[in-house]
Amino acid sequence: MVSYLDGMLRYFEFWGRSTRLHYWMFFLVQFVLLIAGVVIDYQMRGGLSRSLVHMPVTLFMIIIHIVPAITVQVRRLHDIGRSGFWYLLNFVPFCGLVLLYWACRASDAGRNNYGDLEINTPALSASSIPAGPRLGTGRRAGAGQAEGRFI
C-alpha cells in the first residue's frame, strides 16, 4: 500500500527511480481498485455496459490513474538505466512486450544517471513521503540527474 500511495503522491514526478517492487505493487493496487470500480458499476446498473460513460466509478478510476501509471513506468525505466522516452514503445504494436521485460528486470545497483536506488525505495522505510509538502522529491538537475534532462 505504501508503494501505491507513494506513486499517487508523486503524481507528476518523472525524475528519480522506482524499484521493481514499487512498480508492481502500484499496478497491483491500481488493478484491484479498477476491478472494484467495475463491480460497483455492475451492482449499480444491474449489468455491464459497453460504454464507459455508463460506468462512472470505473471511468473515475481510469482517469485518476492515467498520469501516475505513466510516471511510475518512466521512473521504473530510470531504475534500469533507460530514458523515459522508451515509454513511447507502448504505442508501437507488440513493443510493449519489451517494456514488460524491462519492468521485470532487477534494479541497477547503487547509483545511475537518474539517482540513488535507496532514495525512492518505499520498502526501506515506513514511509517515503517527507514531512514537508510533497509534489516531487525537491531534487532538480545536478542532484543525481544530467543537466537539462526532463525524462
Side-chain angles (χ1 to χ4, degrees):
M1 192 65 168
V2 172
S3 296
Y4 173 76
L5 292 174
D6 188 65
M8 292 303 286
L9 289 171
R10 296 170 67 188
Y11 208 88
F12 294 106
E13 186 176 310
F14 286 91
W15 56 86
R17 296 170 67 173
S18 290
T19 63
R20 181 171 40 181
L21 175 68
H22 181 183
Y23 176 82
W24 287 110
M25 290 305 293
F26 176 83
F27 279 102
L28 176 67
V29 173
Q30 177 187 351
F31 180 73
V32 169
L33 289 173
L34 181 64
I35 295 302
V38 169
V39 168
I40 291 169
D41 284 333
Y42 179 80
Q43 293 295 325
M44 286 181 3
R45 296 205 32 93
L48 292 178
S49 175
R50 290 182 176 224
S51 172
L52 279 177
V53 175
H54 301 294
M55 300 180 73
V57 178
T58 305
L59 182 62
F60 176 73
M61 290 296 175
I62 291 170
I63 289 172
I64 66 168
H65 287 108
I66 288 174
V67 174
I70 294 169
T71 59
V72 168
Q73 190 165 14
V74 166
R75 288 192 309 267
R76 178 69 189 126
L77 288 167
H78 289 174
D79 192 47
I80 61 168
R82 305 260 187 239
S83 168
F85 285 110
W86 284 102
Y87 176 81
L88 297 175
L89 284 178
N90 280 319
F91 302 107
V92 178
F94 302 109
C95 288
L97 296 173
V98 173
L99 292 173
L100 179 63
Y101 169 73
W102 286 343
C104 295
R105 283 189 46 201
S107 302
D108 285 352
R111 184 170 186 76
N112 68 10
N113 292 338
Y114 302 98
D116 289 328
L117 177 61
E118 293 78 21
I119 291 175
N120 296 322
T121 306
L124 293 178
S125 65
S127 175
S128 63
I129 304 164
R134 173 88 176 182
L135 287 175
T137 59
R139 295 184 313 129
R140 298 287 181 234
Q145 188 177 37
E147 187 67 34
R149 179 172 295 221
F150 175 67
I151 294 181

